[in-house]
Amino acid sequence: MAASAPGKLILFGEHAVVFGEPALSTAINLRAEVYARPHTEWLVDGASLEESRFRYVKAAVAKAKPDGPLWIEIRSMVPSGAGLGSSAAVTVATLGALHGLQGSIERDKRKWFVHRTALPPLDLVVGNTGIGAATGPLVAKVKDRVDRDPLAAEAIRQIGEITLDGVRALQRKDLVAAGKLMDRNHTILTDLGVGHPSLDRLVEAARPSSYGAKLTGAGGGGSIVALTDRPSVTAEAIRAAGGKAFIVQSDSLGVAKLG
Ligand code: PMV
């Protein structure tokens, strides 16, 4: 039993999506693979399933309820702690391996509408600040602002518009327009209080060789994403500005069975 699942990047609309606005996320060509075989005891990468680093695997196992103990191996190309959804990729690949890709997942009481959109392959560079920031408190901070300040509520609505314009720009392969929209999305997110000087530094470093750049994911640290057709130049600029850089491509392949 084996399955793989991709890392992800949010190209437009983070935070606004929490208020029902659209967001655009893409799978990327960095994947996590999970292999599972019946065994005499539970082991993950030769260690105990109880280790805290395997809590996502344990949660996926609890959902899948396999018949007996398994030897699980994880091979992940998705760097962890870089805003690329490495934990989610491992979790989904584990569920894929154990479920044989069957079953459904419910998440809290909110209803999420997931649509597919065909985009051209995109060259993207992720710049990681190395500063960890938990998503929950940042989401709460934005909610607090939106509750108190009509301008913040208007900013959320604008991000929703930017997202739809961004989708249309990417669909017609207008990377110049898409890049400008990414830049605007970054400014609005920063005004909403989820920016960080190190994010601005990486965005500024990436822009001369990019169509546009913005923070990706929850912000407050974490990573930026730049849309570029000179990925190695952009990656070098990000490294020179003190960030870690990962060159990735958008990919349409989601969770998939291996073998
Ligand atoms: O921290 P990430 O990369 O998983 O992104 C969080 C995205 C938010 O819109 C801020 C929160 C959410 O649940 O959509």
Side-chain angles (χ1 to χ4, degrees):
M1 298 183 290
S4 73
K8 69 90 180 81
L9 267 177
I10 301 178
L11 296 179
F12 292 104
E14 50 274 271
H15 286 289
V17 72
V18 174
F19 298 87
E21 296 292 339
L24 178 66
S25 178
T26 181
I28 56 172
N29 62 340
L30 299 179
R31 303 184 68 84
E33 299 178 347
V34 172
Y35 300 79
R37 265 178 199 284
H39 191 58
T40 47
E41 58 176 329
W42 279 102
L43 285 175
V44 184
D45 289 348
S48 167
L49 177 63
E50 300 304 319
E51 285 190 17
S52 70
R53 64 191 165 123
F54 298 133
R55 62 190 181 281
Y56 299 103
V57 177
K58 196 180 166 196
V61 164
K63 278 256 178 209
K65 299 190 187 71
D67 292 338
L70 298 168
W71 178 294
I72 294 175
E73 286 285 338
I74 302 166
R75 283 188 214 156
S76 182
M77 304 158 69
V78 191
S80 60
L84 295 177
S86 62
S87 312
V90 169
T91 307
V92 172
T94 305
L95 286 168
L98 303 193
H99 267 306
L101 311 184
Q102 299 296 310
S104 64
I105 302 161
E106 274 171 34
R107 201 196 136 182
D108 56 42
K109 298 217 169 3
R110 234 174 293 160
K111 205 164 183 176
W112 297 81
F113 297 93
V114 181
H115 308 271
R116 269 184 174 272
T117 178
L119 298 177
L122 304 171
D123 287 309
L124 302 161
V125 181
V126 177
N128 180 232
T129 61
I131 297 166
T135 299
L138 288 156
V139 169
K141 181 177 179 180
V142 173
K143 182 175 181 330
D144 187 52
R145 286 211 178 184
V146 168
D147 286 347
R148 283 186 294 111
D149 181 0
L151 284 178
E154 171 58 18
I156 293 291
R157 205 192 53 73
Q158 276 175 16
I159 292 177
E161 267 177 25
I162 286 173
T163 299
L164 293 178
D165 288 346
V167 170
R168 287 188 281 258
L170 290 171
Q171 280 170 338
R172 61 174 195 271
K173 300 194 174 87
D174 187 345
L175 302 189
V176 172
K180 283 191 184 137
L181 290 161
M182 288 170 76
D183 291 350
R184 274 185 52 208
N185 197 163
H186 179 77
T187 303
I188 299 178
L189 285 166
T190 305
D191 291 346
L192 277 171
V194 296
H196 191 278
S198 65
L199 287 166
D200 288 339
R201 195 156 53 239
L202 298 193
V203 156
E204 292 306 324
R207 279 184 183 151
S209 60
S210 299
Y211 294 102
K214 61 182 273 295
L215 71 84
T216 182
S223 294
I224 67 142
V225 57
L227 176 64
T228 177
D229 49 19
R230 287 183 286 159
S232 47
V233 178
T234 306
E236 221 18 78
I238 288 170
R239 288 182 191 124
K244 268 195 208 155
F246 306 96
I247 296 174
V248 303
Q249 264 118 30
S250 61
D251 199 333
S252 56
L253 184 63
V255 61
K257 212 167 192 155
L258 288 172

